[in-house]
């Protein structure tokens, strides 16, 4: 094709990670976002979220190959634009308002242009959405030759740049053959520049959209499966779910990765996408008991933690409970759908005094929880004279805690398996660990 001039609309986690990755590969990139505060931070070289390596790449590209703006008009010269705005799942289904307004802005900027341009949807949307957005865009932009494609994103928080640079696959679903061809051409060009050769899969737009849901719901299913086996192991003498799941996972048809029990899946994708696919199935009267069970299992995993605290402490009211970890997983400051946030709220509702520690995510947690909990930047102060400690995030900081400082008889509920229960018990600490049998 042409010389690429890239646009990215939506400079959140997915959009900004792409914008800096493409800019550092030598493309001219224009990033557009309507949030001026966010734009200001990005212009000063400060990403609005924590992600390994992103600060440096942003500083090297901003004002050079990467320009950011709040005006859609600035996308006039871009010939390939990625849309990476949120499409949240609400009670009524998927909320497409941010996508529609981004596309309307772009349609105005491109209105009536005759040369070939392409829009690639990175946002996770239900099957059929890309094609219907395309029809609307074509009408509004009045462009005779505009291409459109679904180009879903599989990157993990905490590994965003690495996952863009070296993905397991690139999925491209054009609304027509030319759109798929142009977008595959672009990604081939990028991967040539960075020197890797990932599989590029060209499918229908609806298939590309569905691949994203199939992937995330499968991952959610693995977590719920691991948590189910963990629960059964807890009631089975001498069983540790870590050994059991590893033994099962060695079968290459199963795999050992992504099979770790924990407090349940959280984050910005798995809970939202599981809910959205159930909604989609309901709309089409398709029974999906499996997916409902995945969600239900995630919900009861949290109830289980509360039941353990109730049982071991003889009631939660008035107890001092320390939650270690607010982020939905280690390596990020993201607290969206974090099980910790739900746990904190429920413990407060039951009358506990809750302390929260996290090495990165306390500011974000405070935005959700306000002043109902105490925030501790120091682990020792968070633990001092607590009745119980619940480990909710697998931060490496929690592996080297000097547990002997805890008062004897303190309860440690390890839902990430970062402690060594045997040595803790020797110190007189009571331990309940996810997946570990108490029956000797
Ligand atoms: C996920 C998908 O992995 C990614 O491909 C997609 O693009 C976006 O959603 P992310 O939200 O960053 O990425 O988190 P992920 O690492 O997948 O973890 C999701 C949740 O599952 C976390 O709460 C994590 O703690 C939990 N989890 C994961 C487990 O409890 N056990 C596991 O073995 C793996």
């Amino acid at each position: 094709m042409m010389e690429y001039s890239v646009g990215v609309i939506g400079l959140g986690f997915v959009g900004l990670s792409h914008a800096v990755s493409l800019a550092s590969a030598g493309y001219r990139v224009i990033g557009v976002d309507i949030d001026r505060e966010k734009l200001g931070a990005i212009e000063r070289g400060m990403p609005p979220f924590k992600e390994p390596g992103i600060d440096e790449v942003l500083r090297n590209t901003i004002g050079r190959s990467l320009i950011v703006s709040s005006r859609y008009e600035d996308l006039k010269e871009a010939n390939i634009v990625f849309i990476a705005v949120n499409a949240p799942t609400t009670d009524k289904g998927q909320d497409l308002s941010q996508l529609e307004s981004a596309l309307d802005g772009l349609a105005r900027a491109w209105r009536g242009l005759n040369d070939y341009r392409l829009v690639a949807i990175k946002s996770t949307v239900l099957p059929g959405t890309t094609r219907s957005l395309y029809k609307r865009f074509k009408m509004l932009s009045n462009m005779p030759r505009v291409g459109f494609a679904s180009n879903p994103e599989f990157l993990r928080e905490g590994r965003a740049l690495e996952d863009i640079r070296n993905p397991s696959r690139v999925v491209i679903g054009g609304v027509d053959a030319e759109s798929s061809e142009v977008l595959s051409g672009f990604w081939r060009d990028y991967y040539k520049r960075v020197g890797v050769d990932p599989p590029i899969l060209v499918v229908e737009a609806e298939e590309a959209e569905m691949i994203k849901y199939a992937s995330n719901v499968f991952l959610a299913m693995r977590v719920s499966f691991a948590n189910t086996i963990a629960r059964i192991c807890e009631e089975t003498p001498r069983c540790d779910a870590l050994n059991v799941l590893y033994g099962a996972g060695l079968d290459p048809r199963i795999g050992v990765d992504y099979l770790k029990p924990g407090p349940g899946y959280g984050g910005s994708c798995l809970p939202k996408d599981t809910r959205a696919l159930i909604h989609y199935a309901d709309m089409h009267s398709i029974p999906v008991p499996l997916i409902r069970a995945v969600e239900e299992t995630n919900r009861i995993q949290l109830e289980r933690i509360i039941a353990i605290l109730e049982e071991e402490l003889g009631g939660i009211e008035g107890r001092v409970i320390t939650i270690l970890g607010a982020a939905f997983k280690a390596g990020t400051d993201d607290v969206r759908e974090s099980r910790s946030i739900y746990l904190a709220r429920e413990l407060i509702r039951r009358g506990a005094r809750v302390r929260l520690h996290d090495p990165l995510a306390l500011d974000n947690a405070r935005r959700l929880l306000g002043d109902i909990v105490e925030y501790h930047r120091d682990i020792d102060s968070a633990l001092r004279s607590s009745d119980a400690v619940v480990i909710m995030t697998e931060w490496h900081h929690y592996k080297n805690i000097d547990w002997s400082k805890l008062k004897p008889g303190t309860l440690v509920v390890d839902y990430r398996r970062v402690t060594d229960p045997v040595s803790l018990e020797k110190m007189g600490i009571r331990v309940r660990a996810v997946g570990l049998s108490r029956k000797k």
Side-chain angles (χ1 to χ4, degrees):
M1 179 184 162
M2 52 228 186
E3 191 166 321
Y4 300 109
S5 171
V6 182
V8 177
I9 304 182
L11 297 176
F13 169 70
V14 170
L16 187 61
S17 301
H18 274 84
V20 297
S21 300
L22 296 174
S24 71
Y27 298 100
R28 261 187 332 126
V29 180
I30 298 173
V32 170
D33 200 293
I34 50 170
D35 183 340
R36 281 170 195 275
E37 207 178 306
K38 196 185 273 178
L39 287 177
I42 295 171
E43 267 169 343
R44 291 193 300 279
M46 295 185 342
F49 50 84
K50 304 262 190 313
E51 189 61 43
I54 199 163
D55 298 53
E56 195 191 337
V57 198
L58 178 62
R59 273 197 306 275
N60 292 340
T61 51
I62 191 74
R64 299 189 188 123
S65 43
L66 173 65
I67 305 289
V68 294
S69 162
S70 61
R71 300 168 356 136
Y72 292 107
E73 298 97 278
D74 291 332
L75 290 168
K76 180 133 193 201
E77 304 305 324
N79 49 25
I80 177 159
V81 172
F82 293 94
I83 313 281
V85 298
N86 285 329
T89 308
T90 69
D91 294 344
K92 295 188 203 82
Q94 199 156 48
D95 173 8
L96 296 177
S97 56
Q98 295 179 51
L99 255 170
E100 286 171 354
S101 98
L103 286 167
D104 292 358
L106 182 63
R108 278 194 298 279
W110 280 0
R111 205 174 149 71
L113 293 175
N114 282 317
D115 55 335
Y116 189 86
R117 309 281 178 116
L118 182 90
V119 179
I121 306 288
K122 283 242 156 262
S123 316
T124 302
V125 288
L126 286 168
T129 310
T130 299
R131 202 174 293 278
S132 67
L133 292 170
Y134 168 60
K135 288 186 185 137
R136 179 190 159 107
F137 190 84
K138 234 176 132 56
M139 210 173 65
L140 285 174
S141 66
N142 202 19
M143 290 167 78
R145 296 182 62 225
V146 67
F148 230 80
S150 162
N151 182 201
E153 197 35 71
F154 305 99
L155 54 82
R156 292 160 288 182
E157 292 193 23
R159 308 172 74 141
L161 299 190
E162 193 185 319
D163 279 350
I164 290 175
R165 222 186 143 82
N166 200 4
S168 47
R169 74 289 204 197
V170 177
V171 175
I172 291 172
V175 294
D176 50 35
E178 190 177 15
S179 302
S180 291
E181 211 169 287
V182 172
L183 190 56
S184 336
F186 172 77
W187 282 119
R188 269 197 303 275
D189 186 74
Y190 168 75
Y191 286 110
K192 210 164 138 199
R193 291 183 191 206
V194 298
V196 295
D197 189 18
I200 294 185
L201 181 68
V202 174
V203 291
E204 294 288 343
E206 291 72 10
E207 289 170 328
E209 294 164 324
M210 195 62 111
I211 286 171
K212 172 72 189 214
Y213 285 99
S215 303
N216 275 355
V217 174
F218 189 84
L219 294 175
M221 184 178 78
R222 283 184 75 94
V223 174
S224 282
F225 178 79
N227 287 338
T228 302
I229 296 296
R231 183 72 188 86
I232 299 171
C233 287
E234 285 164 21
E235 305 301 331
T236 306
R238 291 178 292 280
C239 254
D240 182 345
L242 297 190
N243 293 335
V244 170
L245 289 164
Y246 182 68
L250 283 175
D251 183 329
R253 292 170 301 175
I254 299 172
V256 293
D257 289 341
Y258 219 92
L259 209 51
K260 201 159 173 237
Y265 57 83
S268 66
C269 288
L270 266 42
K272 164 177 82 74
D273 294 348
T274 307
R275 268 202 303 278
L277 196 58
I278 292 174
H279 173 81
Y280 183 82
D282 283 349
M283 264 177 3
H284 293 85
S285 309
I286 306 159
V288 285
L290 179 66
I291 310 178
R292 285 185 209 284
V294 169
E295 260 202 339
E296 172 68 359
T297 305
N298 208 46
R299 194 181 63 72
I300 63 172
Q301 193 67 357
L302 199 65
E303 284 177 2
R304 168 84 179 141
I305 301 177
I306 292 157
I308 290 173
L309 288 166
E310 287 277 8
E311 179 193 319
E312 293 278 352
L313 298 175
I316 280 174
E317 199 176 350
R319 305 291 180 187
V320 179
I321 300 176
T322 300
I323 299 178
L324 293 181
F328 80 97
K329 65 175 186 180
T332 173
D333 65 346
D334 198 342
V335 297
R336 283 178 287 176
E337 297 273 353
S338 169
R339 300 299 100 185
S340 281
I341 303 292
Y342 288 96
L343 177 65
R345 286 205 181 107
E346 185 54 29
L347 293 177
I348 293 288
R349 209 182 62 78
R350 291 173 187 235
R353 255 183 65 198
V354 176
R355 297 174 178 170
L356 185 60
H357 173 274
D358 192 285
L360 274 189
L362 282 191
D363 292 344
N364 286 338
R366 195 190 296 269
R367 272 182 212 118
L368 294 184
L369 293 171
D371 55 12
I372 61 169
V373 306
E374 280 173 37
Y375 299 92
H376 289 258
R377 293 195 187 271
D378 177 59
I379 299 181
D380 284 343
S381 85
L383 296 182
R384 200 161 298 135
S385 66
S386 277
D387 296 310
V389 180
V390 190
I391 303 173
M392 291 292 281
T393 313
E394 66 280 30
W395 288 111
H396 65 86
H397 309 66
Y398 304 148
K399 292 198 174 121
N400 306 317
I401 289 177
D402 181 1
W403 296 103
S404 65
K405 288 188 183 158
L406 261 57
K407 60 181 183 195
T410 305
L411 172 69
V412 171
V413 184
D414 182 356
Y415 256 67
R416 290 294 189 172
R417 300 300 300 269
V418 298
T419 65
D420 172 18
V422 176
S423 59
L424 261 68
E425 272 161 5
K426 279 192 194 137
M427 295 172 198
I429 291 163
R430 287 181 292 156
V431 185
R432 296 286 295 263
V434 66
L436 188 63
S437 163
R438 285 179 306 143
K439 300 186 175 157
K440 302 266 162 36

